[in-house]
Amino acid sequence: MNLRLQLFFRIMLIGFVCLVVSAGYVLYQTDQQAKLEADLTALRIEKQLTQQLLKMFSRYDYSIAFPDSNILQQLNGVPGSCVQFLSRTESRRRSLCNEVVHDETRWPQWFGELYQQLFQPNYEASRRFSFNAITYGNIIVSLNMETEIARAWSNLRAVFGILSVSILAVSLLVFMTIHRMLHPAQLIVRGLEKMRQGDLQTRIPSFEIGEWRRTSEAINALASTQQEIMNENRQLALKLINAQEEEHRYISRELHDEFGQCLAGINALTTSISQTARKDCPSIISETEGISHITAHMMSALRGLLTRLRPADVDELGLTRSLEKLIKSWNQRTGGETRFKLQIDDGVDSLPEPLPVNLYRIVQESLTNIAKHADASEANIKLKYVHQNHLTLQVEDNGKAKRDSFNQHMGVGLLGISERVNALGGKITMDIQSKGGLKLLINLPVNPQPVPKTEHLHV
């Protein structure tokens, strides 16, 4: 669960707690208000009865019975309550009950039972009535239980309605505010994901909130530093590759000019010795033939070494014919156990340096890995243009590589390929096919820009 939903649910939980507390407070206040009204009604009756006795004693008029029932009727007491006056002998002499106003909506049974357990809806307010140190009786105001429960339920529904709408509105406003406040976090995470995938050109925008703004500035500074380091490493790696190729070219030229010429001279001298030996010394013919075989073997090994050091075919024949020749030699070398197929677009022979020789090296290393480790019966190599300034090289086989056993730590061959691709400003992805076998996809820019523009995420 993300942070926004967690905060939203916590706010709703706090709102629910506040709603329950508010409901309890409303019920408590309703009960206290009813008791207060009953006590005030009893107090008002006491004052009215005191006034009646004062008039009676001051005017010596005892024609009106005490207590006067008209006084009780004129008082607007608690709806549904009953007013009683008990004499000293506790016999009921006057009693009056206010009219009960029945509400059309009834309360649930569970609410009535709960309210009776928590409060006193049948509360009685009692006051002892005395005048001139003489106790005449007790004034009792009794609340109507059904009326009080109905009033409590009505108040509770009103409060629930208002608070529910208020809490929901506040929760939505808080959720929208949190969503807006956490939106920079989404952009930061999105930018970090792109950076983790190697796209260091991405930049996180600046934000109004100070904490988010400082975070984005720190991340952008780190990405810029990392990008500069990677660009420097790429340039150094490319220079190193070019230096290695130049060194290989020099060594291959020296071997061809010096060692090759020496072997050719030895071969010519051996041929001359063999011709002379046939006439003058036939016993050494076998030794001369042995020297010829050794010289031929050294010449073959030298040609293979020269090919590994510097494929002269790339310079002389072009990349297309060089790769076709390489594929043909591997098909002959494996004896049909692994069928190598090549698909190549037209126009790759016009690629600028140092792409041709590096593409040849990448394909050469890939074929070596397939022959040594894949145990595949078929391998496909595809070199094609995606558009004018971008090409892809795809190498896939149906070998024994499986997803469960695929080692994420690349071997020396794949590591060398990856270093070449990175030095050329490209990207390499490796994946295991559903039916087994490794799929190698390489994307290379034909004319890479030295300093690419950075990409900014939009708020």
Side-chain angles (χ1 to χ4, degrees), residues 160-210:
F160 254 81
I162 295 174
L163 288 181
S164 298
V165 174
S166 301
I167 290 174
L168 181 60
V170 171
S171 298
L172 291 176
L173 290 176
V174 172
F175 179 79
M176 294 174 62
T177 304
I178 292 174
H179 176 76
R180 184 176 180 182
M181 297 291 287
L182 293 181
H183 182 64
Q186 295 180 341
L187 295 178
I188 291 175
V189 172
R190 193 183 309 164
L192 290 175
E193 285 292 331
K194 289 186 177 182
M195 294 177 187
R196 185 178 65 85
Q197 295 172 2
D199 187 7
L200 295 179
Q201 303 175 20
T202 302
R203 292 294 179 269
I204 299 173
S206 180
F207 304 107
E208 297 178 357
I209 303 175

Side-chain angles (χ1 to χ4, degrees), residues 217-229:
E217 291 173 354
I219 294 176
N220 290 337
L222 180 61
S224 299
T225 303
Q226 190 68 20
Q227 187 177 12
E228 292 176 0
I229 293 175

